[in-house]
Amino acid sequence: MPRRRPARDLRTAIDCLPLQTRKAMLEGVESNRIIVGAYVDRNGGVCPMLAAHRNGGRTSLASFAHAWDGYTGVRRRARPATERELNTLKAMLEASIALDELPSVAEVAREAQASRARRLRVFRRFDEYERAVAELGVIRALNPQDERTAPQAPRSYAKS
């Protein structure tokens, strides 16, 4: 018999939701009375999916409902979600959203490469290097207040 892992199942179901739905659900969980075991109750309580739906997350995913009910251990009838259940749901939603909003490794590598290319300019000929140093002098003359952060021109190693 396979072991039950309701928290892992809930996290997997959350990660399968579209990002917009996860954001809407987080907003809905914070602004509604959340229940387990039913879609709605007579006291105005709603399940997390309906809370998401009311906040713009128009998604229907039965696996989330099953995972939520499995995590909460609801058996017979609807009841309000406990503080622990709500805190877990919020933490899982926040973590899932944060992971989706992180830049990909490829984006970070591309940005680092572009930054390095801007910082490091290779000159193939000495006259190009001299021209760049002269332009740097013009830039410094135009921006005298930024003397501390302007790059320093290299010293000449030739003996006079």
Side-chain angles (χ1 to χ4, degrees):
M1 181 173 190
R3 286 180 29 195
R4 289 186 53 219
R5 297 187 179 179
R8 185 193 61 191
D9 294 345
L10 179 60
R11 179 58 195 262
T12 301
I14 288 170
D15 288 342
C16 289
L17 293 171
L19 180 60
Q20 179 184 353
T21 301
R22 283 178 273 159
K23 288 180 176 181
M25 185 179 290
L26 183 59
E27 203 174 299
V29 165
E30 292 172 347
S31 62
N32 289 285
R33 190 174 148 275
I34 302 300
I35 62 169
V36 300
Y39 197 60
V40 295
D41 70 4
R42 293 179 181 156
N43 301 322
V46 297
C47 73
M49 280 304 291
L50 180 56
H53 185 77
R54 288 180 176 174
N55 282 291
R58 309 272 193 257
T59 303
S60 177
L61 194 66
S63 62
F64 174 82
H66 293 297
W68 174 241
D69 288 345
Y71 175 75
T72 60
V74 68
R75 297 281 183 247
R76 295 188 180 168
R77 58 182 161 158
R79 64 170 174 79
T82 66
E83 195 67 29
R84 181 188 66 80
E85 292 165 344
L86 290 173
N87 287 337
T88 301
L89 179 59
K90 288 178 195 175
M92 287 182 178
L93 286 166
E94 289 168 351
S96 183
I97 291 166
L99 283 175
D100 260 17
E101 291 180 340
L102 286 175
S104 71
V105 173
E107 290 170 0
V108 171
R110 218 177 0 264
E111 188 177 314
Q113 238 177 356
S115 175
R116 246 190 325 268
R118 285 189 301 269
R119 259 191 345 254
L120 178 63
R121 185 169 171 195
V122 178
F123 299 97
R124 294 180 188 254
R125 297 180 11 193
F126 187 70
D127 61 331
E128 291 175 352
Y129 171 77
E130 285 180 319
R131 191 171 331 133
V133 170
E135 288 175 11
L136 182 61
V138 170
I139 291 170
R140 280 197 184 144
L142 294 174
N143 298 319
Q145 76 278 2
D146 202 16
E147 205 52 44
R148 290 186 327 262
T149 59
Q152 301 295 316
R155 297 180 197 170
S156 174
Y157 292 104
K159 294 184 180 181
S160 313

